[in-house]
Amino acid sequence: MAEARASNAAIPIDAGRRLAALPYRFRGGTAERAQAVDCLATAALYEAGDDASGQRAVIQVVLNRVRAPGFPKTICGVVYAGSTRATGCQFSFACDGSVSRRPIHLGWTGARLAARRALSGHVYAAVGRATHYHTDWMVPYWRDSMVKVGRVGTHLFYVRT
């Protein structure tokens, strides 16, 4: 863990590559919106716990992926991408069984509020258009092929080169 943190810290944040994300305007109906809120809130809570800034960052990454090439074009599609495979989940909770043990957690209210706000066009500028992130205690195989553009808590955020 210490080696990973040192390695990640040695890579500077390139704030010049942190372009502003565009506001996201959800265009689906009431049922689709409710499903999108649940998918975003689930990703936010399982990835960031009850940390409000972390939740907003995760939500922004999901919305950035919806608009980026190579990712599913729906919010729930992005959140659960790869969940039917043994490996390859975009978000670990979708594959490791965590989501089937959904806890009652204080973070749900905040995560749902952040999801609704994001679907109404609120942007979390700290991560810009980042489509990837990881915790500072790990070094994913893709890290060196991307540009680090931000940090929120222990999470590091990246854009494609």
Side-chain angles (χ1 to χ4, degrees):
M1 186 182 295
E3 287 179 30
R5 284 191 164 135
S7 175
N8 286 318
I11 299 171
I13 291 172
D14 186 346
R17 292 287 309 270
R18 187 174 52 231
L19 303 177
L22 301 173
Y24 190 90
R25 299 286 184 197
F26 189 80
R27 305 221 189 282
T30 304
E32 292 99 350
R33 179 180 284 272
Q35 184 180 35
V37 166
D38 280 347
C39 287
L40 283 173
T42 300
L45 187 61
Y46 278 93
E47 293 292 306
D50 62 358
D51 171 35
S53 295
Q55 288 181 356
R56 291 177 65 199
V58 169
I59 288 168
Q60 187 65 55
V61 166
V62 171
L63 297 180
N64 292 344
R65 286 181 178 188
V66 170
R67 295 186 276 205
F71 292 101
K73 296 303 168 205
T74 67
I75 290 167
C76 293
V78 166
V79 170
Y80 292 102
S83 64
T84 59
R85 297 188 305 250
T87 61
C89 277
Q90 298 297 308
F91 300 98
S92 58
F93 74 87
C95 283
D96 69 6
S98 297
V99 77
S100 67
R101 298 182 304 274
R102 180 177 286 194
I104 296 172
H105 196 285
L106 297 175
W108 281 112
T109 300
R112 285 192 175 102
L113 176 61
R116 284 193 292 275
R117 288 177 49 100
L119 291 179
S120 297
H122 291 270
V123 172
Y124 190 64
V127 301
R129 295 183 188 177
T131 54
H132 291 72
Y133 68 94
H134 65 86
T135 59
D136 67 356
W137 48 265
M138 64 179 294
V139 178
Y141 72 90
W142 49 260
R143 181 196 71 179
D144 294 336
S145 68
M146 304 192 88
V147 178
K148 184 166 51 167
V149 296
R151 179 184 185 104
V152 176
T154 61
H155 288 91
L156 307 172
F157 293 83
Y158 297 81
V159 296
R160 293 177 173 150
T161 54

